[in-house]
Amino acid sequence: MAALRGQQNTLYIPSSVEQEISEYMFHSLPQEACGVVLGEAAAGGIRISRFQPIRNVAPDPLHYFQLEQAEWIRCVFQEPTLIGVFHSHPRTEPFPSPEDILSLPTFASLLNVYLIGSPVHPSDTISHNKMKLHAYEIQSEAKTANQVNERIKHTLQPLQLCMT
């Protein structure tokens, strides 16, 4: 995973993978859907090759997501191409929420990409069952709090998303 840091500007995702994520998101409504994406570094960006759904076991899955621990651990240790996490915002736009930022320490040392999907507004009948997908790069930097402790500040920076 460390090899991916700092060298990508664009996230490439095949339309078939985007469709799989979208179908899983709509199947999970009204709850938040979650999972991981797999892929590899490529010239000028990261190429996603696969989506792996993971059950959402959050106490309030209508408003939060929590990856099922056994499935998450299996992915961390058995998937050499693990590059990112996906979750949905069923009722809001696919922009990072304060809760998303607070959860970054869970993923920041293992992943580089953070994807958020949202249904296109239901009143738009042409876009029925369509998903808006936004991609972000997880960035981390050490901030010295005092001489004894260091804190890591995590942020999400937008990535260009290119459907292939």
Side-chain angles (χ1 to χ4, degrees):
M1 184 59 233
L4 297 176
R5 293 223 183 261
Q7 62 176 305
Q8 67 283 341
N9 296 320
T10 304
L11 183 68
Y12 299 93
I13 182 169
S15 58
S16 61
V17 173
E18 188 268 344
Q19 182 63 34
E20 183 180 356
I21 294 171
S22 179
E23 287 173 5
Y24 182 69
M25 180 190 74
F26 279 99
H27 176 75
S28 298
L29 289 174
Q31 298 182 355
E32 288 196 15
C34 54
V36 295
V37 290
L38 302 111
E40 62 186 5
I46 296 173
R47 295 196 182 277
I48 291 177
S49 58
R50 197 172 67 129
F51 171 66
Q52 177 64 52
I54 296 180
R55 286 185 301 130
N56 181 356
V57 295
D60 181 7
L62 295 175
H63 301 102
Y64 302 98
F65 82 99
Q66 180 180 344
L67 299 170
E68 195 280 329
Q69 190 174 15
E71 294 176 48
W72 166 243
I73 290 170
R74 183 191 57 75
C75 286
V76 168
F77 288 103
Q78 295 180 358
E79 297 291 354
T81 59
L82 179 65
I83 60 161
V85 67
F86 163 82
H87 81 282
S88 64
H89 287 182
R91 287 161 296 287
T92 61
E93 293 293 314
F95 299 109
S97 68
E99 183 67 29
D100 293 336
I101 302 301
L102 287 174
S103 72
L104 285 178
T106 305
F107 309 109
S109 66
L110 300 170
L111 304 173
N112 198 41
V113 173
Y114 199 91
L115 296 171
I116 304 173
S118 296
V120 171
H121 195 279
S123 67
D124 182 355
T125 57
I126 295 172
S127 299
H128 184 65
N129 281 355
K130 298 286 184 181
M131 175 180 67
K132 285 185 192 177
L133 186 63
H134 288 187
Y136 302 89
E137 178 184 9
I138 300 172
Q139 295 184 342
S140 305
E141 75 179 61
K143 295 284 186 186
T144 302
N146 59 41
Q147 292 180 349
V148 178
N149 298 324
E150 281 193 4
R151 293 181 307 186
I152 305 292
K153 179 184 177 188
H154 304 288
T155 59
L156 293 174
Q157 297 300 316
L159 280 175
Q160 182 177 351
L161 189 59
C162 181
M163 300 293 175
T164 59

